[in-house]
Structure formats: C-alpha cells, structure tokens
Amino acid sequence: MSEIKLISIAELMDGRTFLIPSYQRGYRWTAKEITDFLNDLYSFALKPEKKTDELYCLQPIVTQKFSDEDLIEYTLSEGGIETDNKNVWTVIDGQQRLTSTFILYKYLLDKKGWSAKTLMEEEGKAQFHLAYETRKESTQFLENLSTNSLDDSDIDRSHISAAYRIIDEWIRMEGRDISDTYSRKNTPNAIREVLFSLLNTPRGAAEAVGSAQFIWYEIEEAGNDSRDVEISEFLKINTGKIELTDAELLKALFLQTRNFENGEKEIKQLQIAMEWEQIENTLHQNDFWHFFYGNADRPNRIDALFELIYKADHITVYNDKTRDYIKA
C-alpha cells in the first residue's frame, strides 16, 4: 500500500538511485527558486532556541520502488553509476527540489575537497544518485559535477551549471547577510559548514542546526502497469501547475503504455522520448530557433510546434462555389 512519512536528507545518503523517467523534463529551476531554497534552509539552520527535534520540512517527493532489473542495469551503466541495483526509486514528482539538493551537496563536498571515499570515511554516507532514463549525458554530468566541470554546451548542463554558480554566489552574498542578521560568523566556509551539517543531520538528532526532511510519498508497486500508474500520478499531481507546460503534459500522455502493443512497449517509449529530446535540443540552438521563430523566445520552445500544428489543423478558407468556409 502507499505510504507517507518524513525522511531526512541524511537518510537519502545511503547510495540509493533516483530514476528520472522519460516522460519528465530535465532540471529547470531558476535563480529565484534556488535562492528561496537556500534562504529557507540557512535561516532555519541559524534559528536560535529550536524545539527538541525541530525540523525544516521540504515539499513532497512522490516515488515508486523500481524493479525492472534490465532497465536499471542499462540506465545505470550508461550513466556511469555504480550502486546497488536493488535501491532504485522512480521520481514521479519532486525532481526539481531533489536535483537542487543533489547540486548543493555536490557543491559542499567540492568546496571541502572531499571525495566519495572521504564522505564514507568521515560521515558514513554515500550521496544518492540521479539517473535520467533518456538523458544519459545529464546523468554523467551530475555524477562528476564540480567547479572545474561546469559546462553550458547544452540546455540541461547549462541549467545545472547555473544552479551551481548561483549557490556559490549566494554563499558570498545573501548567505553573509543572513549570517549578520543572526550575529553568526559570515565567512563562506562557515556558511558552507552550517549547510553541510543541516543536510547530514538525521531525524531525532539533537543538533543545533536541526534536520531538513522531505515528505516522502511512496506509491505502491503496480506490476506490469507501473509505468501507467506513474504517469497517471504525474499528470494528477502536475496538471494546472504553472511550471508544467502543455507540451510536457502531452509528452506524458504520448508515453502511456496503452498506446503501444505489449511486445514493443519499452522500445517505443524510449524511442519517442529520445526523439523528443532531440527535437528540444535542436530548437534550443539559437541559429535554428531564430530562423524558425524569429527573435521572440519562450521558456519551452517545443510548445511552439504544437501551436503551429493546432493552428494548421484549424485553418479555414472561403469556398466561392459553395459560399461557405471549409477546412483547408
């Protein structure tokens, strides 16, 4: 049965892998969302006289245990992830905040000069992984993320790199201002240590910084229909949210299992998802986009294709013979 509970960020540091399915987009948080996230975390950590076991509660992560061993093996090996294949979870909702947490943790480790081995030796933890079903380059990029690896060569890497830079800038600007408000040491290293402590404090620990925890909503496994259950939940959760575009809802609908014959289901789903990514990446090449759409821009460029298709399907012309408007 489905389960709802609180789970600390520290508890996620057990080497588990979160699988981002093909029907979801890549990481897209903006500077405002990242800054708000950091402001809330750090202000909570510095808050004096917390109650016993007081926690900072992040918004929900909706997950489902993933058990397709063949797809797990393919996704993890292609993404360069070495981890326990039995500890893999599909992320149905919450990818953006989970990825932001991952980037923040990677940033803090990089500034400490810690490797994965050091993290295990010093804290007994193994950072969780993020694996994209169809964005293998993003998986590899996140695994090796550091100050020296930042890259703006494609839209996904650009958003991830931007988040990393925003975190570093926040540490040196807004983080110092918040430290001054609470009369705390305001050096970048001091701020990073507070955040690192917050992310590593489990539930129930009597630490001054408190504990940061997600609402963990785990959906019951549904056998062969699990992908349809995922997409159904994804649509139900995200329909009406401003940040989810019409094109992304259409993508989720296209990838539902009922659209395919049983023997071709997984192959066709991956093929459509990968072709979708190729279209998106092409549209985000400015020379192509400006030829196609002019100087105007929009957050999700693939929406423009569906608008053109819709308009073309609804064009009418006047027929002189019948003296009526007919569909062209």
mmCIF file of all heavy atoms in Angstrom, residues 283-298 301 304 308:
data_model
loop_
_atom_site.group_PDB
_atom_site.id
_atom_site.type_symbol
_atom_site.label_atom_id
_atom_site.label_comp_id
_atom_site.label_asym_id
_atom_site.label_seq_id
_atom_site.Cartn_x
_atom_site.Cartn_y
_atom_site.Cartn_z
ATOM 1 N N LEU A 283 15.739 22.776 -31.152
ATOM 2 C CA LEU A 283 15.029 24.045 -31.018
ATOM 3 C C LEU A 283 15.772 25.025 -30.119
ATOM 4 O O LEU A 283 15.595 26.242 -30.230
ATOM 5 C CB LEU A 283 13.615 23.807 -30.472
ATOM 6 C CG LEU A 283 12.622 23.146 -31.433
ATOM 7 C CD1 LEU A 283 11.332 22.787 -30.712
ATOM 8 C CD2 LEU A 283 12.330 24.050 -32.620
ATOM 9 N N HIS A 284 16.604 24.511 -29.211
ATOM 10 C CA HIS A 284 17.362 25.391 -28.318
ATOM 11 C C HIS A 284 18.696 25.826 -28.920
ATOM 12 O O HIS A 284 19.474 26.499 -28.250
ATOM 13 C CB HIS A 284 17.562 24.724 -26.962
ATOM 14 C CG HIS A 284 16.374 24.870 -26.063
ATOM 15 N ND1 HIS A 284 16.143 25.995 -25.312
ATOM 16 C CD2 HIS A 284 15.321 24.056 -25.841
ATOM 17 C CE1 HIS A 284 15.016 25.865 -24.639
ATOM 18 N NE2 HIS A 284 14.496 24.705 -24.943
ATOM 19 N N GLN A 285 18.949 25.443 -30.156
ATOM 20 C CA GLN A 285 20.082 26.013 -30.884
ATOM 21 C C GLN A 285 19.584 27.316 -31.504
ATOM 22 O O GLN A 285 18.721 27.318 -32.383
ATOM 23 C CB GLN A 285 20.555 25.044 -31.966
ATOM 24 C CG GLN A 285 21.109 23.744 -31.408
ATOM 25 C CD GLN A 285 21.400 22.733 -32.493
ATOM 26 O OE1 GLN A 285 21.402 23.057 -33.688
ATOM 27 N NE2 GLN A 285 21.636 21.487 -32.093
ATOM 28 N N ASN A 286 20.122 28.442 -31.041
ATOM 29 C CA ASN A 286 19.560 29.746 -31.391
ATOM 30 C C ASN A 286 19.542 30.033 -32.887
ATOM 31 O O ASN A 286 18.613 30.685 -33.381
ATOM 32 C CB ASN A 286 20.304 30.854 -30.654
ATOM 33 C CG ASN A 286 19.918 30.915 -29.189
ATOM 34 O OD1 ASN A 286 18.795 30.564 -28.810
ATOM 35 N ND2 ASN A 286 20.846 31.340 -28.352
ATOM 36 N N ASP A 287 20.541 29.551 -33.645
ATOM 37 C CA ASP A 287 20.530 29.814 -35.083
ATOM 38 C C ASP A 287 19.330 29.152 -35.750
ATOM 39 O O ASP A 287 18.673 29.733 -36.616
ATOM 40 C CB ASP A 287 21.843 29.359 -35.730
ATOM 41 C CG ASP A 287 22.199 27.913 -35.420
ATOM 42 O OD1 ASP A 287 21.536 27.305 -34.547
ATOM 43 O OD2 ASP A 287 23.142 27.391 -36.046
ATOM 44 N N PHE A 288 19.015 27.931 -35.308
ATOM 45 C CA PHE A 288 17.840 27.237 -35.861
ATOM 46 C C PHE A 288 16.549 27.886 -35.372
ATOM 47 O O PHE A 288 15.618 28.124 -36.142
ATOM 48 C CB PHE A 288 17.873 25.758 -35.459
ATOM 49 C CG PHE A 288 16.692 24.968 -35.959
ATOM 50 C CD1 PHE A 288 16.697 24.441 -37.236
ATOM 51 C CD2 PHE A 288 15.579 24.764 -35.151
ATOM 52 C CE1 PHE A 288 15.601 23.721 -37.711
ATOM 53 C CE2 PHE A 288 14.484 24.044 -35.608
ATOM 54 C CZ PHE A 288 14.500 23.524 -36.899
ATOM 55 N N TRP A 289 16.501 28.202 -34.080
ATOM 56 C CA TRP A 289 15.284 28.770 -33.497
ATOM 57 C C TRP A 289 14.947 30.131 -34.121
ATOM 58 O O TRP A 289 13.790 30.393 -34.451
ATOM 59 C CB TRP A 289 15.461 28.912 -31.987
ATOM 60 C CG TRP A 289 14.333 29.655 -31.317
ATOM 61 C CD1 TRP A 289 14.359 30.930 -30.851
ATOM 62 C CD2 TRP A 289 13.015 29.169 -31.058
ATOM 63 N NE1 TRP A 289 13.141 31.272 -30.309
ATOM 64 C CE2 TRP A 289 12.291 30.210 -30.422
ATOM 65 C CE3 TRP A 289 12.365 27.964 -31.309
ATOM 66 C CZ2 TRP A 289 10.971 30.073 -30.029
ATOM 67 C CZ3 TRP A 289 11.033 27.826 -30.913
ATOM 68 C CH2 TRP A 289 10.350 28.865 -30.289
ATOM 69 N N HIS A 290 15.928 30.983 -34.303
ATOM 70 C CA HIS A 290 15.667 32.311 -34.853
ATOM 71 C C HIS A 290 15.203 32.229 -36.308
ATOM 72 O O HIS A 290 14.390 33.038 -36.754
ATOM 73 C CB HIS A 290 16.918 33.186 -34.736
ATOM 74 C CG HIS A 290 17.257 33.518 -33.323
ATOM 75 N ND1 HIS A 290 18.539 33.809 -32.901
ATOM 76 C CD2 HIS A 290 16.479 33.588 -32.204
ATOM 77 C CE1 HIS A 290 18.539 34.054 -31.600
ATOM 78 N NE2 HIS A 290 17.298 33.921 -31.158
ATOM 79 N N PHE A 291 15.703 31.243 -37.048
ATOM 80 C CA PHE A 291 15.218 31.025 -38.412
ATOM 81 C C PHE A 291 13.764 30.557 -38.393
ATOM 82 O O PHE A 291 12.953 30.949 -39.233
ATOM 83 C CB PHE A 291 16.097 29.978 -39.110
ATOM 84 C CG PHE A 291 15.558 29.511 -40.438
ATOM 85 C CD1 PHE A 291 15.698 30.301 -41.571
ATOM 86 C CD2 PHE A 291 14.916 28.289 -40.544
ATOM 87 C CE1 PHE A 291 15.199 29.872 -42.801
ATOM 88 C CE2 PHE A 291 14.410 27.857 -41.765
ATOM 89 C CZ PHE A 291 14.553 28.644 -42.891
ATOM 90 N N PHE A 292 13.452 29.735 -37.412
ATOM 91 C CA PHE A 292 12.123 29.124 -37.330
ATOM 92 C C PHE A 292 11.096 30.048 -36.683
ATOM 93 O O PHE A 292 9.939 30.100 -37.087
ATOM 94 C CB PHE A 292 12.258 27.821 -36.518
ATOM 95 C CG PHE A 292 10.966 27.203 -36.059
ATOM 96 C CD1 PHE A 292 10.077 26.661 -36.966
ATOM 97 C CD2 PHE A 292 10.651 27.160 -34.710
ATOM 98 C CE1 PHE A 292 8.899 26.084 -36.540
ATOM 99 C CE2 PHE A 292 9.474 26.584 -34.275
ATOM 100 C CZ PHE A 292 8.592 26.046 -35.201
ATOM 101 N N TYR A 293 11.503 30.848 -35.685
ATOM 102 C CA TYR A 293 10.542 31.576 -34.864
ATOM 103 C C TYR A 293 10.863 33.060 -34.706
ATOM 104 O O TYR A 293 10.167 33.775 -34.005
ATOM 105 C CB TYR A 293 10.476 30.912 -33.477
ATOM 106 C CG TYR A 293 9.160 31.100 -32.760
ATOM 107 C CD1 TYR A 293 8.026 30.391 -33.154
ATOM 108 C CD2 TYR A 293 9.043 31.971 -31.679
ATOM 109 C CE1 TYR A 293 6.820 30.539 -32.494
ATOM 110 C CE2 TYR A 293 7.835 32.125 -31.015
ATOM 111 C CZ TYR A 293 6.729 31.408 -31.422
ATOM 112 O OH TYR A 293 5.530 31.558 -30.775
ATOM 113 N N GLY A 294 11.950 33.511 -35.287
ATOM 114 C CA GLY A 294 12.301 34.915 -35.139
ATOM 115 C C GLY A 294 13.007 35.189 -33.826
ATOM 116 O O GLY A 294 13.519 34.284 -33.165
ATOM 117 N N ASN A 295 13.041 36.443 -33.418
ATOM 118 C CA ASN A 295 13.758 36.847 -32.209
ATOM 119 C C ASN A 295 12.987 36.586 -30.931
ATOM 120 O O ASN A 295 13.529 36.692 -29.828
ATOM 121 C CB ASN A 295 14.118 38.337 -32.288
ATOM 122 C CG ASN A 295 15.163 38.604 -33.356
ATOM 123 O OD1 ASN A 295 16.041 37.774 -33.579
ATOM 124 N ND2 ASN A 295 15.057 39.746 -34.020
ATOM 125 N N ALA A 296 11.698 36.276 -31.047
ATOM 126 C CA ALA A 296 10.895 36.002 -29.843
ATOM 127 C C ALA A 296 11.377 34.718 -29.181
ATOM 128 O O ALA A 296 11.840 33.794 -29.844
ATOM 129 C CB ALA A 296 9.423 35.874 -30.216
ATOM 130 N N ASP A 297 11.289 34.670 -27.850
ATOM 131 C CA ASP A 297 11.726 33.481 -27.120
ATOM 132 C C ASP A 297 10.618 33.038 -26.183
ATOM 133 O O ASP A 297 9.662 33.763 -25.920
ATOM 134 C CB ASP A 297 13.006 33.770 -26.331
ATOM 135 C CG ASP A 297 13.765 32.489 -26.008
ATOM 136 O OD1 ASP A 297 13.303 31.402 -26.418
ATOM 137 O OD2 ASP A 297 14.808 32.572 -25.348
ATOM 138 N N ARG A 298 10.757 31.833 -25.674
ATOM 139 C CA ARG A 298 9.789 31.282 -24.734
ATOM 140 C C ARG A 298 10.489 30.230 -23.894
ATOM 141 O O ARG A 298 11.472 29.622 -24.336
ATOM 142 C CB ARG A 298 8.592 30.683 -25.476
ATOM 143 C CG ARG A 298 8.964 29.664 -26.512
ATOM 144 C CD ARG A 298 7.831 29.416 -27.507
ATOM 145 N NE ARG A 298 6.611 29.073 -26.827
ATOM 146 C CZ ARG A 298 5.400 29.263 -27.333
ATOM 147 N NH1 ARG A 298 5.270 29.810 -28.521
ATOM 148 N NH2 ARG A 298 4.317 28.925 -26.666
ATOM 149 N N ARG A 301 10.444 25.795 -25.845
ATOM 150 C CA ARG A 301 10.305 26.109 -27.266
ATOM 151 C C ARG A 301 9.502 25.068 -28.033
ATOM 152 O O ARG A 301 8.929 25.379 -29.079
ATOM 153 C CB ARG A 301 11.693 26.281 -27.876
ATOM 154 C CG ARG A 301 12.428 27.504 -27.342
ATOM 155 C CD ARG A 301 13.812 27.649 -27.937
ATOM 156 N NE ARG A 301 14.453 28.880 -27.499
ATOM 157 C CZ ARG A 301 15.660 29.264 -27.884
ATOM 158 N NH1 ARG A 301 16.365 28.512 -28.725
ATOM 159 N NH2 ARG A 301 16.172 30.397 -27.434
ATOM 160 N N ALA A 304 5.913 25.665 -29.250
ATOM 161 C CA ALA A 304 5.622 26.376 -30.490
ATOM 162 C C ALA A 304 5.215 25.423 -31.607
ATOM 163 O O ALA A 304 4.376 25.756 -32.457
ATOM 164 C CB ALA A 304 6.838 27.194 -30.919
ATOM 165 N N LEU A 308 1.677 25.500 -33.766
ATOM 166 C CA LEU A 308 1.608 25.534 -35.218
ATOM 167 C C LEU A 308 0.729 24.413 -35.760
ATOM 168 O O LEU A 308 -0.058 24.607 -36.691
ATOM 169 C CB LEU A 308 3.016 25.436 -35.813
ATOM 170 C CG LEU A 308 3.904 26.668 -35.676
ATOM 171 C CD1 LEU A 308 5.311 26.366 -36.184
ATOM 172 C CD2 LEU A 308 3.318 27.841 -36.444
#
